[in-house]
Amino acid sequence: MDFDPRTYEPAPDLLSDRVILVTGAGSGIGRAAALAYAAYGATLILSGRVVSKLESAHDEILAQGDAQPSIAPLNLARAEANDYFALRDQVQAQYGRLDGLLHNAGILGIRTPLEQYDMNTWAEVMHVNVTAALALTQVLMPQLNASGDASVVFTSSGVGRVGRAYWGAYAVSKFATEGLMQVLADETSSAGRIRVNCVNPGSTRTAMRADAYPAEDPLTLPEPASIMAAYLYLMGPDSRGVTGQSLDAQIKK
Ligand code: NDP
């Protein structure tokens, strides 16, 4: 694999005829990914917690002149089996297949030593960031298999590769995300119908980053729209045969 986000040039029709579901599509990196995927020809299923944000992303995609997306509200902290089944049924009824799944939704939890970490917060962070992503992947596997060239992308973090003090459940959940990606990639590699990888976005100008670093000047950080190369590469056919990898969306000079 010779992917470099600084030089990658996706074809304008990279994602034409592909149906892609993005979680956390209403804001931040997920919204930028949804807009980018739509701009490269995909039909989007916009999932997230806050419906008004999904509607706004929906309208922005239409204003770009791209394919009509659909909205699939799902609160990953509260969703039960029936909610996942309803989403699966919506995908089946509308499209009959799914070509891409970007697990982008995530929560930060609290920044505190493990000795004092609130266990309810721990459980919620692990659930939203890891368990819910697996639950969603599980129910969508039949549609992904029907694609024949499907891509599942999980969202990692630098603190999911090297542990860092006070990052608590968030860091541990991102280690777990890397593990989940690797196990699923190994399980699906011989059939070759679904590739499974991670993106570590790197420091990016979003609400979560501002929450984690309140004293930082956000203008020193790249906007989500400027880090999309890895997201496009992994979602489209240029990454055929690439599975079990964890890419960096930003490479420091
Ligand atoms: P934001 O806080 O801006 O976005 C988080 C997204 O997750 C929102 O769209 C939000 O949806 C969604 N979300 C949160 N909780 C739930 C829930 N219970 N159910 C459904 N959706 C939910 O953060 P970023 O854009 O920065 O983060 C995107 C991903 O990138 C995360 O996985 C994060 O860990 C990762 N990341 C970000 C970095 C950065 O510097 N920004 C660095 C490394 C990793 P809604 O708005 O509808 O609530």
Side-chain angles (χ1 to χ4, degrees):
M1 185 185 49
D2 53 4
F3 169 76
D4 185 329
R6 296 164 298 187
T7 54
Y8 179 61
E9 289 185 13
D13 62 346
L14 181 83
L15 301 174
S16 63
D17 300 327
R18 290 183 190 237
V19 179
I20 297 174
L21 190 149
V22 176
T23 68
S27 57
I29 295 167
R31 185 186 182 109
L35 290 165
Y37 291 156
Y40 280 89
T43 299
L44 268 295
I45 304 167
L46 307 168
S47 191
R49 180 172 46 176
V50 180
V51 174
S52 60
K53 293 184 189 176
L54 299 177
E55 288 172 343
S56 151
H58 170 280
D59 292 350
E60 199 172 342
I61 288 172
L62 286 186
Q64 283 185 166
D66 296 322
Q68 167 102 43
S70 56
I71 286 177
L74 187 69
N75 183 340
L76 298 172
R78 310 271 170 269
E80 296 180 358
N82 282 343
D83 301 309
Y84 290 99
F85 295 148
L87 176 52
R88 174 200 62 192
D89 293 346
Q90 177 185 337
V91 172
Q92 188 60 26
Q94 284 185 293
Y95 307 108
R97 67 171 214 281
L98 186 66
D99 307 294
L101 174 57
L102 172 61
H103 292 292
N104 159 84
I107 53 173
L108 185 62
I110 47 177
R111 304 273 309 284
T112 196
L114 286 176
E115 191 176 352
Q116 281 109 37
Y117 206 95
D118 174 69
M119 293 312 292
N120 289 325
T121 306
W122 178 277
E124 184 170 11
V125 172
M126 296 302 289
H127 186 83
V128 171
N129 293 5
V130 185
T131 309
L134 172 58
L136 186 58
T137 310
Q138 266 190 351
V139 296
L140 294 173
M141 284 295 272
Q143 279 96 347
L144 290 163
N145 270 309
S147 159
D149 183 36
S151 175
V152 177
V153 180
F154 290 92
T155 306
S156 181
S157 167
V159 296
R161 293 178 181 161
V162 180
R164 200 179 303 160
Y166 317 132
W167 281 78
Y170 180 81
V172 174
S173 76
K174 295 300 186 180
F175 271 91
T177 298
E178 295 268 356
L180 174 58
M181 175 278 287
Q182 289 183 19
V183 173
L184 187 60
D186 203 32
E187 289 174 357
T188 51
S189 66
S190 59
R193 300 177 70 79
I194 304 177
R195 55 187 174 282
V196 188
N197 297 284
C198 273
V199 175
N200 165 25
S203 310
T204 309
R205 195 188 311 169
T206 67
M208 182 188 286
R209 177 75 190 188
D211 196 14
Y213 292 91
E216 183 179 60
D217 177 1
L219 296 177
T220 61
L221 300 172
E223 290 185 287
S226 70
I227 62 154
M228 287 298 124
Y231 288 84
L232 288 162
Y233 168 73
L234 285 177
M235 202 49 88
D238 292 336
S239 59
R240 256 186 205 134
V242 175
T243 197
Q245 304 298 309
S246 189
L247 301 191
D248 289 318
Q250 301 181 52
I251 293 182
K252 302 276 181 283
K253 292 173 189 106

